[in-house]
Amino acid sequence: MREGRDSGWSLPSTLQTVAFGVPIADALPEAALRLSARRLAIVTTNSLAGSGGLAEVVRNILDQSSTLSWPAFILILRAQMSCA
Amino acid sequence: MIKALEGADGVVTIGGGSVCDSAKAARLCLANGITDAVGMDRLRPYNKAKGSEPDGTISPSLPFIAVATTLSAAEFTSAAGVTDERGPRKQVFVYPGLAPDIVILDPQVTRQTPPKLWFSTGIRALDHALETWCSTNPTPLSDAHSSYAARLLITSLPKVFDSPNDIPARLDCMKSAWLSILGPASGVKAGASHGIGHALGGTAGMPHGETSCVMLPHVLRYNASVNGDRQAVIAASVGNPTTPLADIVAGLISHLGLPTRIRDTGVSETVMAAVAEAALHDPLLASNPRPIKSLTDLQLLLEQAW
């Protein structure tokens, strides 16, 4: 069958869980619990990793979570990413 | 980064497309025992002609949570753009399991995002939504997602610009960026704004957010003769039934303080011939609703955008 505006194939999208409008302090521990992830690496950029920045906020949330047995650690990436 | 992830049993990204794509690629490398750029050579870069055929690569399994801070919507795709520093050249890898398992959209955290990044990625999301809505192969699902996303972006982005602490409007932007990418992520083809955008990015180094700003209004105007009725539906949905959608989008981009012409982005005119040549061979140019049949057609479009 010809593919066009009125006929065609709809391919499956990626199955994902999305927490929308849920404060990160609630959503992140819940997400880690759902994935049974206890030792988490936080990956972010320099601009968000400074003192009082979002990465620190997230690490504090994770470190205070009773579901995690290890402190989270932060990996800081350059603004322009590469995998070389 | 790959080595560091070996000690973790989960990864959390905080950021936009670059951070998310890096984690996607690192998880893929981790699953396949790859530790450097040479090892990545055995992965298969995405080829639009061949699609995502299996090649024996193991899908990543390290749990992945993404905290979005921009409107790039990279969190919702299985594609990872990676720059090979030996080149440098950018390659895109598409494999099952690359996308994050859980995405967190908390509008409060986006108040730290630089405004220009927030709004340019918002126009990028609008580009996804409108080129999906106007696509040559939309689906009922993509029509629902893209029209909703376009309406919400056009109305919410100015609210955030005028009131940066408008948290409900920020959340509306995030929800619409999410919806905007679902069509492309499920096989709906974009058009010339993306096709030329790829060429501007690859040849002139322009970020996707900016390519959308300088190309989308002109491509909408170019296509209006074949899909003006579709464009009018979106214009009417935002309360401007008699205004051409291209003018609405151009006005929005100007309102947000973003560049509306290629020359305003710092790109040299000397590279435009190479941009046109590269764009002509981009597969998305072929799926533009109004055919772009020749280099002359394309150059005319680029001149209008210049």
Side-chain angles (χ1 to χ4, degrees):
Chain A
M1 184 180 284
R2 189 177 64 85
E3 196 175 62
R5 187 172 296 285
D6 299 316
S7 61
W9 296 79
S10 177
L11 306 177
S13 301
T14 305
L15 281 176
Q16 291 179 299
T17 299
V18 180
F20 57 96
V22 182
I24 193 169
D26 298 328
L28 198 49
E30 169 73 16
L33 191 63
R34 283 171 180 255
L35 296 172
S36 301
R38 298 164 68 86
R39 182 175 165 79
L40 291 162
I42 300 168
V43 180
T44 191
T45 51
N46 206 27
S47 59
L48 293 173
S51 178
L54 189 53
E56 192 172 284
V57 170
V58 167
R59 185 170 63 177
N60 289 339
I61 290 169
L62 292 170
D63 288 349
Q64 289 166 17
S65 170
S66 59
T67 61
L68 302 171
S69 59
W70 296 85
F73 58 97
I74 300 178
L75 302 171
I76 302 169
L77 300 178
R78 285 171 292 163
Q80 181 64 46
M81 298 304 140
S82 76
C83 279
Chain B
M1 175 174 172
I2 299 164
K3 194 165 181 60
L5 290 185
E6 286 175 350
D9 61 12
V11 58
V12 179
T13 58
I14 308 167
S18 296
V19 172
C20 191
D21 280 13
S22 294
K24 289 175 187 175
R27 289 168 67 247
L28 182 65
C29 290
L30 194 64
N32 290 276
I34 295 168
T35 57
D36 56 20
V38 175
M40 288 195 77
D41 287 343
R42 66 183 166 87
L43 296 175
R44 173 189 43 75
Y46 182 60
N47 182 320
K48 285 195 171 69
K50 292 181 178 175
S52 300
E53 56 192 28
D55 65 352
T57 302
I58 300 166
S59 293
S61 57
L62 183 69
F64 183 6
I65 301 166
V67 180
T69 61
T70 75
L71 301 171
S72 75
E75 302 82 16
F76 300 104
T77 77
S78 294
V82 175
T83 300
D84 185 342
E85 287 190 335
R86 296 168 301 173
R89 60 183 174 142
K90 188 167 184 177
Q91 294 181 315
V92 178
F93 296 94
V94 180
Y95 284 101
L98 282 198
D101 300 294
I102 297 179
V103 181
I104 296 174
L105 305 178
D106 176 0
Q108 288 280 1
V109 306
T110 68
R111 291 188 301 169
Q112 289 191 22
T113 304
K116 187 180 178 187
L117 180 61
W118 174 263
F119 292 115
S120 64
T121 54
I123 296 300
R124 169 181 171 170
L126 183 61
D127 197 2
H128 293 144
L130 290 178
E131 290 226 300
T132 299
W133 172 251
C134 294
S135 174
T136 54
N137 70 330
T139 69
L141 278 177
S142 75
D143 275 354
H145 293 147
S146 61
S147 58
Y148 185 91
R151 179 179 60 79
L152 210 51
L153 281 164
I154 291 171
T155 53
S156 301
L157 286 168
K159 288 181 185 173
V160 177
F161 184 83
D162 297 337
S163 304
N165 290 322
D166 186 337
I167 299 302
R170 282 186 178 269
L171 180 58
D172 279 345
C173 291
M174 299 181 92
K175 288 191 288 190
S176 45
W178 167 24
L179 294 177
S180 76
I181 202 69
L182 296 182
S186 62
V188 177
K189 296 170 186 166
S193 181
H194 279 77
I196 297 170
H198 291 162
L200 281 167
T203 309
M206 192 186 296
H208 189 342
E210 284 191 6
T211 69
S212 296
C213 290
V214 298
M215 289 313 307
L216 180 58
H218 302 285
V219 170
L220 286 170
R221 203 166 283 123
Y222 179 84
N223 289 336
S225 62
V226 299
N227 61 17
D229 55 337
R230 300 278 289 181
Q231 295 190 29
V233 170
I234 303 298
S237 78
V238 295
N240 289 306
T242 58
T243 307
L245 184 59
D247 292 351
I248 293 171
V249 172
L252 171 64
I253 295 166
S254 291
H255 181 86
L256 299 176
L258 297 168
T260 56
R261 299 174 300 189
I262 297 173
R263 66 169 176 263
D264 294 337
T265 65
V267 169
S268 167
E269 194 167 10
T270 57
V271 303
M272 292 310 293
V275 168
E277 189 62 32
L280 200 60
H281 297 103
D282 191 282
L284 291 182
L285 212 68
S287 59
N288 192 59
R290 179 181 166 193
I292 297 174
K293 295 176 180 169
S294 66
L295 189 60
T296 308
D297 284 352
L298 183 57
Q299 284 169 332
L300 194 62
L301 190 50
L302 284 171
E303 280 171 20
Q304 289 166 356
W306 175 253

